[in-house]
């Protein structure tokens, strides 16, 4: 295992300590527990608060989106493991500004069970909690079982648009409606070229041949849908684009937001080579690209690979996407 | 003859030691069909429970077990950890107020644990989860006791039933949770949650398992 | 070679095409050559223009810093190879706003020779050009031969401060003075845990054992100063910090800007674990940290490893560092 | 008997073919002490020069060579590429206006190339760069011609001198450029630039080289 760390068991806590020291004006923590990350200015009184959570090892997901115009708090678990209901509850209490809390997180059973418990605890304290599950990864289940799909990079579009709506003073119902609309119009798919290593496990989650890639990879080093020969960037892009469009079914003339996300070890150069083909194919089909996000937004530590996410936009989502944001990992001016 | 706080504490410590001894194997099973955190998570829970077991009064075994469930959830709130925590809380609720457990209590605790895991995780039998080992185990345990067998004999049938349940779903495709996303590649692979239950029951019955 | 690409020979051009399509409002190109990247609004009339250049494979370095508050243009070469004098000259002509042009780039012989030729061509057309070389990597030569050192991530601090000075209307002399002051107060050092592969070479530049690290690595996959056993994050951080402080010699009470830079494959989690120790040691020595930059700023494609950069601040550099910037890869609000 | 445009074109094509054949080897030398781009860069220059050589008039050989230098700089402006481009431009300048070259012209071109590389790169002899092979080669060539030998024989001594120069600096530490940064680890390693010159001279003299 080639990682820069001390004791693997301290990986998450030390990462959080470093992060809190690096961003003291933007981030703080609740409940005397560094796993409970909140905006330094939480609670924002009168604003609907947004929280997320999940395992570590995906930076900027999840906590990287806590900040102005996006999220108010995030409960952080161990690498690839849910935070506890307690921790989610601590975050919830600290960020609640009197207008309710929206949980937006990926559809993973550990997280679902713990967020549900946290919501029950919050309701007992009179905090209204609403939940929106992210299930954007088309590779994880066919359309007829779309509710089983897992959440990957597409969650960033939900954070961005719902976060903007809340920042603009939207009500709890309005913020939930925006998150749901964003996600109903968002689809993702990924490929992996190399595995990653959970620090505490000490060995890679899977092995893969020098000339192979894993199609439909998630962001946890779980094996994907199938293993194939490595293809060219254009072939990989084409394949992902066609799968996503077949599922999203945009009409000619529709406008999309596009994200080309690196899984960790894939350099930005390669992501832009993918984007080149995305731009060519989408515009070739009469689709418009309003904004392109190319970089690392949801990773699996040092995994090589990339994912594509498209969100179909209407006027409201476009305006919310364009709204400013300022978090340690996501700045839009 | 009932089971005292000392029995329960010792049983919990046996389970903790067994989970710690199997972390690598459980991790490798979870790497094959999931994300590879299970061994580590259950190891952390084992550490937390061992600490808990040696430092917590057992005069109310129901409270003791429910508290163990809360400690487990804090220590390792992954899917498996949360289900285990739920099982402990429900088992505790089933025997709340008691300072000694009769054999019938054990059967009820097992049943309560199964129901808790079902309600929390919403899996169906055949989805290829821990439930597919726990359901036959709880049934076999209760049936054996009802048939007049000793707790030791009933434990042995429960373990045998769990192993059979685990093996029966091994050829199947996982239908829920993380493993469901890799589709037919789960076929022929042991479900890590089933295996974890076999490890736990082996330790409880003090049998070599597998 | 596990990379997402098409023909390796098209790597750089396709990367640039993708990048220009992804950032159409911020970037454009000169001389009908995508290697000649300039701000979309170039030339900014009356402003001193800043240009850089160098090989590809280091994103965000170099072109990622072209934008408001930083650079005006960048000539882009092949992977780890200088752009040509011609290309630098094209960039120079396009960005010149009448107030002169400053070249700020790393001390690499290929780049130096070509930028010098470009400056000669520019002077012939009446464009005043000044050159500031970046030589921040203390691992590349001892202090007595500091003028031989190579430039690594520290160049970003020069781009940021000199870019801010130019944006505020500084004269050619003033902008050059700021760049020189920033660099006189900037030192860097890096370690690598894994090699990278030049796409056209097709095999890694070096090999390294599972338990080894390379101390004093540059950003081109060149071997470092020496090979050692892999150490813990705290040991690695301590070692780099002590070497940099011994060279920079800050006084107690001095204020620093800190950059923890990932070389490509090292996840942000590990960078924050390093930063944790940086913060502890610097504050423990009575030094103040004004700003921390943790992320990928100067990479070597998929190399694993990290570098540290410290810049000693005075009031002028502090204000310039805090000035807003908005480029595709660097946003400060 | 002089060298015509056709001779020069053919010689250039031979050099191009030789560089293309050696790209992998040159890359491996540059990976050991530098950044691994040299084979690729010289390969690109070879492609560009081959295209240039077959499509450019040779009535003025000075212009022809200077133009080749400019094409080389555009195709591969790395350190080595830029030095090679400089060498071609200077060699061209030395014979500007000529449509046929005498043997004395060849010696002058080699000397001009050396001077250009020295001025552009500012390396000293012994710094372990291409200069340490080029300087003895240019000297040996001129001396052999002055001693009345044939161009072929003079070429052979130039190649032998380049090889000897390359080998003489191999044990040394690089003192300039990228390789200087890895310090004593360059000792015992062949300088890629010296090797590139040997490849070029071997092709020019049509000898197997090394
Ligand atoms: N909804 C569910 N209900 C019951 N058991 C489940 C459920 N989902 C997963 N499991 C069990 O959990 C095991 C995986 O546990 P764990 O590794 O902790 O999960 P994860 O890493 O996906 O959070 C599976 O092998 C399965 O037995
Ligand atoms: N200043 C210099 N003057 C002359 N030759 C040099 C100089 N610096 C490097 N070289 C030569 O260039 C070779 C490296 O060429 P190349 O790989 O193109 O360089 P880089 O990748 O560092 O730009 C060295 O082996 C050496 O022979
Ligand atoms: Mg997990
Ligand atoms: Mg798991
Ligand atoms: Mg180079
Ligand atoms: Mg080189």
């Amino acid at each position: 295992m080639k990682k820069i760390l001390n004791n693997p068991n301290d990986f998450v806590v030390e990462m959080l300590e470093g992060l809190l020291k690096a961003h003291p004006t933007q981030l703080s923590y609740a409940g005397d527990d560094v796993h409970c990350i909140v905006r330094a200015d939480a609670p924002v009184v009168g604003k609907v608060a947004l929280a997320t959570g999940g395992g570590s090892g995906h930076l900027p997901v999840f906590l990287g989106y806590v900040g102005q115009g996006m999220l108010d708090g995030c409960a952080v678990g161990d690498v690839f493991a849910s935070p506890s209901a307690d921790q989610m509850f601590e975050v919830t209490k600290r960020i609640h500004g009197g207008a309710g809390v929206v949980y937006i997180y990926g559809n993973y059973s550990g997280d679902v069970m713990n967020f549900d418990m946290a919501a029950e605890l919050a309701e007992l304290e009179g905090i209204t909690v609403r939940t929106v599950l992210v299930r954007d990864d088309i590779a994880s289940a066919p359309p007829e079982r779309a509710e089983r799909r897992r959440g990957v990079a597409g969650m960033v579009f939900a954070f961005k648009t719902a976060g903007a709506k809340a920042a603009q003073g939207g009500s709890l119902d309005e913020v939930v409606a925006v998150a749901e609309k964003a996600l109903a119009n968002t689809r993702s798919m990924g490929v992996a070229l190399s595995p990653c290593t959970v620090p505490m496990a000490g060995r890679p989650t899977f092995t893969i041949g020098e000339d192979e890639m894993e199609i439909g990879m998630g962001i946890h080093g779980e094996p994907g849908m199938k293993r194939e020969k490595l293809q060219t960037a254009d072939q990989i892009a084409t394949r992902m684009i066609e799968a996503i469009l077949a599922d999203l079914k945009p009409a000619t003339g529709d406008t999309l937001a596009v994200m080309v996300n690196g899984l960790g070890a894939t350099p930005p150069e390669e992501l832009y080579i993918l984007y080149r083909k995305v731009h060519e194919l989408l515009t070739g089909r009469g689709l418009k690209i309003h904004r392109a996000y190319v970089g690392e937004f949801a990773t699996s530590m040092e995994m090589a690979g990339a994912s594509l996410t498209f969100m179909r936009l209407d006027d409201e989502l476009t305006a919310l996407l364009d709204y400013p944001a300022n978090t340690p990992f996501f700045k839009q001016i | 003859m009932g089971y005292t706080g000392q029995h329960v504490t010792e049983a919990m410590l046996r389970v903790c030691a067994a989970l710690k001894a199997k972390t690598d194997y459980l991790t490798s099973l979870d790497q094959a069909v999931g994300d590879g955190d299970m061994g580590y998570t259950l190891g952390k829970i084992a550490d937390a429970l061992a600490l808990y077991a040696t430092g917590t009064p057992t005069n109310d075994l129901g409270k003791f077990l429910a508290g163990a469930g809360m400690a487990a959830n804090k220590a390792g709130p992954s899917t498996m950890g949360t289900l285990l925590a739920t099982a402990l809380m429900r088992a505790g609720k089933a025997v709340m107020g008691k300072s000694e457990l009769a054999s019938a209590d054990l059967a009820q605790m097992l049943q309560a644990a199964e129901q808790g895991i079902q309600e929390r995780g919403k899996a169906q039998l055949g989805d290829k989860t821990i439930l597919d080992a726990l359901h036959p185990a709880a049934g076999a345990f209760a049936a054996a006791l009802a048939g007049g067998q000793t707790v030791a004999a009933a434990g042995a049938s429960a373990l045998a039933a769990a192993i059979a349940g685990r093996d029966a779903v091994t050829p199947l495709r996982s239908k829920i949770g993380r493993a469901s996303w890799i589709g037919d590649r789960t076929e022929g692979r042991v479900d890590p949650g089933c295996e974890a239950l076999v490890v736990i029951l082996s330790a409880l019955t003090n049998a070599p398992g597998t």
Side-chain angles (χ1 to χ4, degrees), chain A, chain B:
Chain A
M1 178 177 50
K2 275 257 168 119
K3 287 180 189 277
I4 300 179
L5 41 68
N6 298 303
N7 183 334
N9 294 340
D10 300 331
F11 184 80
V12 173
V13 168
E14 292 189 345
M15 175 271 282
L16 292 169
E17 287 172 358
L19 194 119
L20 285 160
K21 293 285 188 203
H23 307 288
T25 60
Q26 293 190 283
L27 298 180
S28 181
Y29 59 102
D32 225 20
D33 179 352
V34 291
H35 295 85
C36 302
I37 298 287
V38 295
R39 280 171 64 157
D41 59 353
V44 183
V45 177
K47 186 180 91 70
V48 171
L50 282 78
T52 191
S56 289
H58 306 296
L59 280 179
V61 157
F62 300 85
L63 67 89
Y65 301 105
V66 173
Q68 282 163 42
M70 294 186 88
L71 306 174
D72 296 85
C74 173
V76 180
D78 257 318
V79 174
F80 298 171
S82 173
S84 70
D86 257 15
Q87 290 165 330
M88 295 164 175
F89 180 47
E90 285 299 338
V91 167
T92 307
K93 283 189 292 186
R94 177 67 156 271
I95 64 176
H96 184 230
V101 178
V102 185
Y103 291 164
I104 307 181
Y105 61 93
N107 181 32
Y108 297 96
S109 51
D111 301 297
V112 173
M113 293 187 294
N114 282 286
F115 266 111
D116 282 352
M117 291 192 263
E120 289 163 23
L121 296 169
E123 300 283 351
L124 289 177
E125 302 232 344
I127 302 173
T128 308
V129 173
R130 301 278 295 272
T131 293
V132 181
L133 286 180
V134 182
R135 322 173 203 231
D136 56 318
D137 188 350
I138 61 165
S140 54
E144 60 276 15
R145 285 198 297 278
E147 81 293 343
R148 286 257 168 114
R149 287 177 177 170
R150 65 191 163 212
V152 291
M155 70 180 71
V156 179
F157 285 148
F159 298 161
K160 179 71 194 70
T161 50
K165 189 75 190 176
Q168 293 173 359
S171 69
L172 186 59
D173 279 345
E174 285 170 341
V175 172
V176 168
V178 163
E180 282 173 347
K181 181 163 73 173
L183 290 168
N185 287 288
T186 297
R187 302 286 187 287
S188 301
M189 181 169 168
V191 298
L193 274 60
S194 81
C196 62
T197 299
V198 175
M200 301 77 94
R203 58 173 184 268
T205 299
F206 60 99
T207 53
I208 185 165
E210 251 314 297
D211 59 342
E212 289 179 324
M213 63 178 181
E214 186 84 21
I215 310 277
M217 195 75 200
I219 56 170
H220 293 82
E222 319 97 320
M225 294 151 59
K226 49 184 155 178
R227 180 77 49 102
E228 292 190 1
K229 288 271 161 259
L230 185 58
Q231 297 183 306
T232 66
D234 284 355
Q235 287 169 329
I236 293 170
T238 303
R239 176 144 187 197
M240 291 199 283
I241 293 162
E242 279 176 359
I244 295 176
L245 293 182
D247 204 285
L248 182 61
K249 299 194 176 57
T252 310
D254 274 358
T255 300
L256 304 179
V258 172
M259 177 178 285
V260 182
N261 172 54
L263 293 183
T266 289
E269 285 84 356
E270 299 176 31
L271 301 179
Y272 280 108
I273 291 176
L274 284 174
Y275 181 73
R276 176 180 167 275
K277 192 70 186 177
V278 171
H279 186 277
E280 178 191 314
L281 286 192
L282 292 188
T283 53
R285 289 190 182 210
L287 296 165
K288 299 193 198 85
I289 301 177
H290 175 67
R291 249 180 203 275
Y293 296 88
V294 182
E296 294 187 345
F297 298 91
T299 63
S300 306
M301 296 187 290
E302 74 285 2
M303 192 186 286
S307 69
L308 283 188
T309 301
F310 299 162
M311 173 168 65
R312 181 178 21 219
L313 297 173
D314 61 9
D315 290 346
E316 182 188 28
L317 290 175
T318 304
L320 293 169
L321 196 67
D322 289 346
Y323 193 78
N326 187 11
T327 83
F329 288 78
F330 190 101
K331 291 180 172 56
Q332 197 168 287
I333 298 170
Chain B
M1 184 207 80
Y3 293 88
T4 64
Q6 190 176 346
H7 286 120
V8 173
T9 307
E10 279 171 14
M12 193 173 278
L13 291 173
R14 278 205 309 280
V15 170
C16 292
L19 286 173
K20 290 291 280 187
K22 290 283 191 169
T23 52
D24 262 17
Y25 179 57
L26 292 170
T27 290
S28 69
L29 293 183
D30 194 30
Q31 286 188 322
V33 300
D35 58 352
D37 66 326
M38 182 186 279
Y40 177 71
T41 307
L42 293 184
K44 275 185 78 168
I45 287 179
D47 288 341
L49 287 184
L51 201 71
Y52 177 86
T54 50
T56 312
T58 53
N59 48 331
D60 181 340
L61 285 168
K63 265 198 189 153
F64 175 81
L65 288 170
M70 292 193 282
N73 185 241
K74 278 189 196 170
S78 74
T79 301
M80 201 57 215
T82 306
L83 293 174
L84 216 67
T86 305
L88 280 164
M89 290 191 237
R90 293 298 187 92
K93 217 169 149 189
V95 296
M96 202 55 77
K98 302 196 177 177
S99 60
E100 239 188 80
L101 306 178
S103 53
D105 288 324
L106 302 185
Q108 261 179 27
M109 286 160 63
L110 215 51
Q111 225 99 48
E114 181 194 338
Q115 202 188 327
I117 287 181
Q118 205 286 316
E119 286 173 20
R120 181 58 66 210
K122 301 188 186 67
Q124 304 296 315
L125 287 177
D127 281 354
K128 195 171 179 178
T129 71
I130 186 174
L131 267 188
D132 292 299
L134 180 54
H135 177 74
F141 189 76
L145 286 186
Q149 297 189 31
T150 63
V151 168
S157 345
L159 174 60
I163 293 173
R166 174 198 70 190
D167 295 344
V169 293
T170 297
L172 305 185
R173 195 179 291 201
S174 298
K175 295 218 194 76
I176 199 168
R178 199 179 291 284
S180 71
W181 297 325
I182 65 165
D184 54 11
R185 295 209 292 189
T186 56
E187 290 170 14
R189 296 239 159 94
V190 174
D191 176 64
C194 286
E195 183 61 29
L197 182 75
V198 168
V199 170
I200 291 168
L201 290 181
S202 303
L204 286 174
T205 59
N206 226 343
T210 313

